[in-house]
């Protein structure tokens, strides 16, 4: 049976995590459909139709879906679920918000943060902040999974030519209403899609000092991340948090500055290809996962690093 | 307004996790257990709503073996009024737990259900959403602020792109994120008082809920270990390594 993917998008563009999810889906079944639920989201539909490996794009374009409220999207997905053996979404805050609702309405389990497809019914996922890896098998008639982007390569964004189907159902809950949004504006790459990330922790001391990281980020085309402690202290906004309960990243290069390396932080970044740690405490646990550790005061090392890049 | 808060007993977040040698599960023998940190935040928020006069009663529920009564007592020491243990094997699947909690929420006629966004053992991040779906309630997940007004909860949510505010009508389910509040510690007198607060025990049969899941564990293994790296002596050496050895910087 076919696989359905709920596209991650903001009505303007298809988010990269969808491409990794397509790769996971093609490992389950060759027939992969993508559902775009949104409002005035035609460019997203165009982009989704071109993704290699996608045979069909379903479109539900209505004002009721503008903010992809879980109450509405889940019921829409359940209406079409009968055609599918698997329903997938990227393990983003949107996917995690919606997919458990879908599973509960279908009376089946939902497997979170899948990092590997063993077969059409057996999947691998991290538990305990990535300190254990569970392989689980499900005999549910519909298998509902969120997919962790770092576990799968991105499918090619072009080369496909999917057919399109318009869904006319409009499901509009009158019990949930969008009020406002404060989205981070940044010219830098998205944290979860960046090839290079430089993250700051409590050691940065305050929010102003995060400017020290910007020079390096500019030179390397990097995204800026943070530990929970830096977010809790108000140095930077929540969307920068990397870790067990924040974002999971796996860039080619991750530079941790003034971060001790708590397991909850490591859970979000230890699959990075190369890890650099700058910390003045030579016993900081971050050095146990770092390929290159520099024991130094960050206020000396970071400006010097910026100059030498 | 009545608030139902769910709490889960999990491995303490400071404990180093070890996998059993037969690869069946994580080893929990003689390991320190605590209330899941996101559930602590949920309890704290409910108590604050009661202290503000918004809520009149805070009921806590936990699904698990007898040992979760300890977690329920902790929640009552923090300020919850009474507790319900739903007796079940530990590690029950999320959907079964959600069905049990949904039933308790219905029986209690709770106006608001506050739950942690995820438990730090199974890292599922799904039970709250499932409870909401089963009851056909609106939901606001990953909350960093909750304001109750005119039968509505205005909830600010931590999302990947930043913050989003939703207004949901009660009854509803809210799940907590880290920035919602900083939980208090229980005082000794309150710990003593909590011992006398009511704690009901129910079974899934009492609630008329059938539990069970089609998911089975094939194996639980330790994660691949990173090979240890080296310490560099200077920024110049670091840059040289990044350019010429790792080749991640040009
Ligand atoms: C339920 C739960 C979920 C969590 N989720 C996450 C998560 O998703 N992500 C996350 O990151 N954390 C998470 N945490 C928190 C985690 O346990 C740690 O508290 C946090 O990661 C610590 O952040 P930090 O390394 O910045 O701060 P600290 O541990 O305080 O470390 C600061 C480091 O900076 C160094 N330093 C200080 N000054 C300087 C200087 N001038 N130069 C160089 N180095 C300096 C110090 O040596 C120290 O190693 C979670 C915790 C819980 C309980």
């Amino acid at each position: 049976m076919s696989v359905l993917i709920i596209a991650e998008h903001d009505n303007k563009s298809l988010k990269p995590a969808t491409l990794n999810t397509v790769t996971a889906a093609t490992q389950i079944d060759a027939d992969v459909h993508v559902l775009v639920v949104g409002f005035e989201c035609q460019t997203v539909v165009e982009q989704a139709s071109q993704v290699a490996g996608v045979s069909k794009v379903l479109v539900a374009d209505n004002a009721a879906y503008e903010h992809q409220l879980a109450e509405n999207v889940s019921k829409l997905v359940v209406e079409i679920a009968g055609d599918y053996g698997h329903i997938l979404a990227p393990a983003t805050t949107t996917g995690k918000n919606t997919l458990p609702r879908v599973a509960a309405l279908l009376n089946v389990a939902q497997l979170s943060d899948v990092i590997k497809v063993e077969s059409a019914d057996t999947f691998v996922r991290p538990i305990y902040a990535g300190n254990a890896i569970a392989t689980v098998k499900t005999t549910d008639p519909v298998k509902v999974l969120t997919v962790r982007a770092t576990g799968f390569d991105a499918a090619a964004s072009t080369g496909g030519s999917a057919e399109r189907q318009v869904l006319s159902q409009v499901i509009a809950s009158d019990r949930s209403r969008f009020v406002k949004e404060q989205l981070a504006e940044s010219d830098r790459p998205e944290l979860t899609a960046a090839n290079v990330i430089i993250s700051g922790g409590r050691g940065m001391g305050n929010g102003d000092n995060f400017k020290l990281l910007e020079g390096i980020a500019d030179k390397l085309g990097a995204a800026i991340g943070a530990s929970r402690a830096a977010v809790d202290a108000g140095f930077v906004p929540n969307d920068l948090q990397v870790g067990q309960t924040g974002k999971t990243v796996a860039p080619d290069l991750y530079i941790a500055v003034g971060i001790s390396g708590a397991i909850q932080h490591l859970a979000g970044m230890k699959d990075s290809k190369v890890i650099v740690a700058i910390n003045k405490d030579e016993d900081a646990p971050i050095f146990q996962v770092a390929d290159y550790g520099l024991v130094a005061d960050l206020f000396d090392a970071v400006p010097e690093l910026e100059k030498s890049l | 307004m009545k608030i139902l808060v769910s709490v889960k007993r999990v491995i303490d977040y400071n404990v180093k996790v070890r996998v059993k040698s037969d690869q069946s599960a994580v080893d929990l023998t003689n390991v320190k257990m605590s209330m899941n940190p996101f559930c602590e935040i949920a309890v704290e928020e409910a108590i604050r709503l009661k202290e503000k006069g918004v809520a009149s009663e805070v009921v806590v529920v936990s699904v698990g073996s007898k040992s979760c009564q300890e977690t329920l007592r902790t929640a009552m020491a923090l300020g919850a009024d009474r507790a319900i243990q739903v007796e079940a094997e530990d590690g029950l699947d999320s959907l079964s737990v959600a069905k049990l909690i949904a039933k308790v929420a219905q029986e209690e006629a709770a106006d608001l259900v506050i739950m942690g966004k995820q438990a730090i053992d199974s890292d599922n991040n799904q039970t709250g959403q499932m409870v909401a779906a089963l009851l056909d309630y609106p939901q606001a997940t990953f909350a960093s602020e909750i304001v109750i007004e005119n039968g509505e909860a205005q909830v600010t949510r931590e999302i990947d792109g930043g913050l989003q505010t939703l207004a949901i009508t009660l009854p509803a389910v809210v799940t907590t994120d880290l920035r919602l509040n900083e939980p208090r510690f229980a005082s000794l007198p309150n710990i003593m008082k909590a011992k006398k607060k009511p704690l009901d025990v129910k079974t899934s049969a009492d609630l008329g809920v059938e539990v069970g899941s089609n998911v089975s564990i094939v194996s639980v293994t330790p994660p691949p270990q990173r090979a240890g790296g080296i310490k560099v002596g200077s920024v110049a050496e670091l840059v040289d390594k990044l350019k010429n050895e790792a080749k991640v910087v040009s």
Side-chain angles (χ1 to χ4, degrees):
Chain A
M1 267 173 110
S2 313
V3 181
L4 179 70
I5 295 172
I6 307 174
E8 173 87 13
H9 68 90
D10 58 2
N11 293 321
K12 294 188 210 79
S13 66
L14 187 70
K15 297 294 168 193
T18 313
L19 302 175
N20 308 80
T21 308
V22 168
T23 300
T26 53
Q27 294 174 7
I28 295 169
D29 191 283
D31 197 31
V32 175
H33 300 181
V34 171
L35 169 66
V36 178
V37 190
F39 181 48
E40 297 180 339
C41 50
Q42 270 313 306
T43 48
V44 180
V45 174
E46 299 292 332
Q47 289 167 347
S49 314
Q50 287 168 29
V51 175
V54 176
S55 63
K56 192 189 219 178
V57 174
L58 302 131
V59 188
D61 188 332
N62 190 285
Y65 300 133
E66 181 172 5
H67 301 288
Q68 299 173 47
L69 300 177
E71 295 79 0
N72 304 340
V73 178
S74 57
K75 286 185 180 165
L76 176 70
V77 173
V78 168
E79 286 201 9
I80 58 171
D83 297 338
Y84 298 96
H86 296 75
I87 300 173
L88 277 54
T92 56
T93 48
T94 314
K96 290 175 178 177
N97 191 42
T98 305
L99 225 52
R101 267 191 103 104
V102 172
L105 293 175
L106 294 170
N107 197 27
V108 296
Q110 191 245 239
L111 302 178
S112 302
D113 282 296
V114 167
I115 54 169
K116 198 169 165 215
V117 173
E118 291 279 350
S119 71
D121 65 6
T122 305
F123 306 94
V124 179
R125 55 176 303 261
I127 52 176
Y128 290 87
N131 289 302
I133 306 293
T135 302
V136 293
K137 184 182 162 103
T138 162
T139 56
D140 276 330
V142 193
K143 295 159 182 72
V144 181
L145 348 160
T146 62
V147 173
R148 185 177 280 195
T150 54
F152 300 88
D153 291 334
S157 58
T158 56
S161 58
E163 62 168 296
R164 294 185 202 167
Q165 183 187 335
V166 172
L167 301 178
S168 53
Q169 297 98 317
V170 176
I171 296 160
S173 165
D174 56 1
R175 285 177 290 159
S176 178
R177 179 166 53 86
F178 172 84
V179 178
K180 64 176 183 200
E181 219 160 41
Q182 287 161 263
L183 298 184
E185 300 273 339
S186 168
D187 299 332
R188 298 188 196 286
E190 241 182 286
L191 198 49
T192 50
N195 293 323
V196 181
I197 295 172
I198 181 161
S199 286
R202 200 197 310 266
M204 298 302 295
N206 59 47
D208 263 355
N209 289 337
F210 264 75
K211 292 205 182 83
L212 293 171
L213 306 184
E214 286 177 8
I216 296 176
D218 287 341
K219 285 194 165 169
L220 297 178
I224 292 180
S227 70
R228 172 191 173 179
V231 177
D232 281 3
F235 300 173
V236 288
N238 62 282
D239 50 281
L240 298 197
Q241 182 181 316
V242 171
Q244 178 188 17
T245 58
K247 287 178 182 159
T248 312
V249 300
D252 294 333
L253 174 60
Y254 187 93
I255 308 175
V257 182
I259 292 178
S260 62
I263 51 168
Q264 292 87 2
H265 188 77
L266 301 185
M269 46 64 77
K270 69 179 178 195
D271 292 328
S272 305
K273 283 206 188 80
V274 175
I275 297 175
V276 169
I278 300 174
N279 196 306
K280 67 179 180 189
D281 171 11
E282 63 174 332
D283 295 322
I286 189 78
F287 287 124
Q288 291 164 21
V289 299
D291 299 279
Y292 303 111
L294 178 63
V295 180
D297 191 306
L298 71 92
F299 295 103
D300 302 326
V302 169
E304 195 186 335
L305 179 60
E306 183 189 336
K307 268 189 238 126
S308 28
L309 284 170
Chain B
M1 185 177 94
K2 191 197 265 192
I3 302 180
L4 180 70
V5 180
S6 63
V7 294
K8 185 176 184 186
R9 183 173 182 267
V10 298
I11 194 166
D12 186 85
Y13 80 96
N14 271 315
V15 169
K16 188 151 171 41
V17 169
R18 265 173 239 289
V19 169
K20 283 189 190 168
S21 55
D22 67 359
Q23 302 200 337
S24 60
V26 161
D27 196 350
L28 294 178
T29 36
N30 298 324
V31 162
K32 183 177 179 211
M33 303 292 279
S34 299
M35 190 188 300
N36 177 44
F38 289 98
C39 302
E40 282 184 326
I41 296 172
V43 171
E44 176 68 31
E45 195 64 16
I47 295 164
R48 288 189 192 185
L49 286 168
K50 191 178 170 196
E51 287 169 346
K52 279 190 217 149
V54 177
S56 49
E57 190 183 21
V58 176
V59 182
V60 281
V61 59
S62 190
V63 178
S65 66
K66 185 146 202 245
S67 50
C68 78
Q69 290 191 4
E70 195 190 337
T71 316
L72 290 168
R73 292 281 172 210
T74 306
M76 289 192 284
L78 291 168
D81 298 297
R82 58 188 175 85
I84 300 166
Q85 177 207 354
V86 181
E87 217 166 45
E89 55 173 304
D90 290 322
L92 199 62
D93 67 287
S94 306
L95 182 59
S96 297
V97 171
K99 285 177 182 171
L100 294 166
I101 293 176
K103 196 64 199 290
V104 170
Q106 248 173 350
E107 288 193 351
E108 290 287 336
D111 301 287
L112 181 62
V113 182
I114 310 182
M115 303 172 65
K117 80 164 177 180
Q118 84 190 62
I120 59 165
D121 50 2
S122 47
D123 279 338
N124 276 317
N125 193 333
Q126 57 183 221
T127 310
Q129 295 88 314
M130 288 177 159
V131 170
L134 294 168
L135 294 169
D136 198 23
Y137 285 179
Q139 73 185 37
T141 50
F142 329 141
S144 65
E145 199 190 345
I146 304 175
V147 180
I148 309 281
E149 239 171 29
N150 311 322
E152 255 187 12
Q154 285 238 2
V155 181
T156 305
R157 309 176 53 229
E158 295 199 356
I159 59 170
D160 286 341
L163 295 171
Q164 180 190 62
T165 307
L166 297 179
I168 51 176
T169 49
L170 303 181
V173 176
V174 173
T175 74
T176 61
D177 215 320
L178 295 169
R179 258 69 59 180
L180 183 58
N181 60 51
E182 244 180 87
R184 69 193 69 188
F185 294 98
S187 68
L188 197 57
N190 285 343
I191 292 172
M192 299 313 289
K193 265 196 253 166
K195 293 190 173 151
K196 297 204 191 74
K197 290 187 181 178
L199 192 161
D200 272 356
V201 181
K202 295 192 173 176
T203 63
S204 53
D206 294 340
L207 293 166
V209 172
E210 228 177 285
V211 300
S213 143
N214 292 324
V215 179
S216 55
I217 293 200
V218 177
S219 68
V220 175
T221 56
Q225 291 301 314
R226 272 189 93 91
I230 57 160
K231 291 243 171 79
V232 291
S234 66
V235 170
E237 192 190 342
L238 174 62
V239 173
D240 175 63
K241 294 282 185 199
L242 291 177
K243 285 188 175 168
N244 301 316
E245 190 176 88
K247 298 194 171 38
V248 284
V249 170
S250 50

